[in-house]
Amino acid sequence: MATKGYAAPAVEQTYTRARALCTRVGDTPQILPALRGLCQFYRNQGALPIARALGEQLYRLVQREVAPTPHLEVHEALGGILFYLGEYAAARTHLEQGIALTDPAAERAQALHHGVALGVTCLVVVANALWCLGYPAQAVRRSQEALAQAQALAHPYSLAVTQFYTAYLHYHCRDAPAVQALAETLLSLATAQGFSLYVGLGTLWRGWALAMQGQGEAGLAQMHQGLAVVLATGTTLVQPLCLVPLAEMVGHAGQVAEGLHLLDEALAVLETSGRGDLLAEVYRLQGTLLLRQATPDAAQAETCFQQALTVACRQQAKSWELRAAMSLACLWQQQGKRATAYDLLAPIYGWFTEGFDTPDLQDAKALLGELEG
């Protein structure tokens, strides 16, 4: 899994064989890691409904276990799957239960046994769930806690996973310098250790950060390079995560048709896998790019923004909801519907209790000021 990627055919073959042997032997504790391994494989292959079914089977089986570790394993597995499905509140519940079961003294031994430190993974994935739910300050604190623990473990793969998810969080927060710093350290570690998936993801994040900071041509080249490396690992789950920021940056560079094509590709993968955590942003970016065409399509763009809002509301994802509302409010402002735009954005902005130094909330405050004036 570390060198070939979680979705490599050999991973499925090995865990399927282990599961078959468990079935032949009868009631044996090895069924738990076999199921958990298959759960990870199908999750990273992008078959989230299958992964969820295996995770729920695993959850039922561990109820008879007294030791905390099997319960930590299933909470980490299900929490990650639910996060990618866009069920953020349920993901948060599982991941925080996993954190509560973590024994810091046993983390390194567990990391060597499982391939990754489960408690650290719970921390850094819940950080991303917290951002989506509208708690950016808590999200950053959790990610910092995860990084500190991962560095203390001296377990390279756990550190690479943590650096990746922390970069993902700062991508959400639009913090390009932080993304670049994390991408550089992730690339160095992943290259030295031969973690091919994270070489690709580190390259992608570095490219996004460069493009965000004005180095568009160099950044896009790195993003394309990173995407190619990721696809070569067969890890379908992260394909939309590569396509969405690439589409955004391509659009910024004026290649609107290419950006829309990439978003269509991302949407197809999201629908096939059931992945929901980027769905609202895909719809929002589609609307944004439709407005940048030589002949802007305001009607279709508004439909896209409304779809983004619908998805975000269904997911209780306040950060995605705020971003979609800002895009729609800007469109309405241009159409002279200032009061309607204000009435949409004000209650969403008013819901937040933290993170007012983040770009999204600062932009929302500024836009509300314009709509009031």
Side-chain angles (χ1 to χ4, degrees):
M1 288 189 291
T3 57
K4 300 293 185 183
Y6 280 104
V11 174
E12 181 185 26
Q13 292 160 10
T14 305
Y15 277 122
T16 299
R17 174 68 174 148
R19 185 185 187 184
L21 287 169
C22 289
T23 303
R24 183 185 302 175
V25 170
D27 191 19
T28 170
Q30 282 76 27
I31 189 64
L32 297 179
L35 282 173
R36 185 174 181 277
L38 281 171
C39 187
Q40 286 178 309
F41 169 80
Y42 285 112
R43 182 183 78 176
N44 286 281
Q45 196 188 47
L48 290 173
I50 297 174
R52 182 180 194 161
L54 286 166
E56 289 171 348
Q57 181 184 353
L58 194 58
Y59 182 79
R60 291 190 295 271
L61 286 174
V62 301
Q63 298 312 306
R64 63 191 183 191
E65 298 291 326
V66 176
T69 299
H71 294 269
L72 168 58
E73 291 172 350
V74 75
H75 285 307
E76 187 269 346
L78 266 177
I81 292 163
L82 291 166
F83 170 76
Y84 284 119
L85 286 166
E87 298 183 27
Y88 303 119
R92 179 186 182 184
T93 298
H94 276 289
L95 294 165
E96 288 184 343
Q97 287 177 331
I99 293 164
L101 289 167
T102 301
D103 177 4
E107 272 280 86
R108 179 164 170 77
Q110 288 178 350
L112 293 171
H113 179 71
H114 294 96
V116 67
L118 301 178
V120 171
T121 306
C122 286
L123 275 170
V124 78
V125 177
V126 86
N128 282 275
L130 284 166
W131 182 89
C132 296
L133 289 165
Y135 303 102
Q138 293 179 53
V140 170
R141 285 197 296 272
R142 280 300 204 187
S143 70
Q144 290 170 340
E145 190 180 344
L147 267 178
Q149 289 189 19
Q151 288 162 348
L153 285 174
H155 185 255
Y157 195 71
S158 296
L159 182 56
V161 171
T162 306
Q163 289 170 338
F164 158 69
Y165 276 111
T166 305
Y168 190 23
L169 172 63
H170 287 291
Y171 157 73
H172 288 327
C173 296
R174 320 298 289 169
D175 188 346
V179 172
Q180 183 173 355
L182 284 157
E184 298 288 358
T185 54
L186 174 58
L187 260 175
S188 177
L189 174 65
T191 302
Q193 295 288 334
F195 301 154
S196 55
L197 173 62
Y198 291 103
V199 170
L201 291 168
T203 304
L204 177 100
W205 286 139
R206 183 168 67 182
W208 178 85
L210 290 173
M212 283 288 287
Q213 295 172 99
Q215 300 182 51
E217 187 175 341
L220 284 174
Q222 294 237 337
M223 293 184 81
H224 281 290
Q225 180 186 340
L227 174 61
V229 174
V230 169
L231 292 178
T233 69
T235 311
T236 308
L237 179 72
V238 296
Q239 188 177 348
L241 189 149
C242 301
L243 293 170
V244 174
L246 179 57
E248 181 185 16
M249 292 299 102
V250 163
H252 278 310
Q255 303 168 37
V256 175
E258 175 63 14
L260 287 169
H261 171 73
L262 289 167
L263 290 174
D264 285 340
E265 192 177 342
L267 192 58
V269 178
L270 290 172
E271 289 174 348
T272 300
S273 67
R275 182 170 177 172
D277 66 307
L278 286 166
L279 193 55
E281 183 69 344
V282 169
Y283 286 133
R284 189 191 71 83
L285 287 171
Q286 280 183 326
T288 300
L289 292 184
L290 286 167
L291 293 174
R292 290 183 184 163
Q293 294 179 126
T295 304
D297 189 342
Q300 187 58 39
E302 180 170 344
T303 299
C304 289
F305 295 148
Q306 293 283 13
Q307 284 177 301
L309 274 172
T310 299
V311 170
C313 289
R314 183 178 73 238
Q315 296 175 341
Q316 305 172 54
K318 285 294 181 179
S319 290
W320 291 132
E321 186 182 354
L322 178 71
R323 198 172 284 181
M326 278 195 287
S327 294
L328 184 54
C330 283
L331 175 60
W332 284 347
Q333 180 189 32
Q334 293 163 13
Q335 296 172 339
K337 305 174 185 175
R338 286 171 54 181
T340 307
Y342 182 88
D343 290 343
L344 170 69
L345 184 57
I348 299 170
Y349 176 80
W351 179 92
F352 283 83
T353 57
E354 62 181 62
F356 295 105
D357 57 341
T358 59
D360 281 347
L361 283 160
Q362 288 177 337
D363 290 348
K365 182 180 180 180
L367 179 55
L368 284 169
E370 293 175 14
L371 295 170
E372 276 186 306

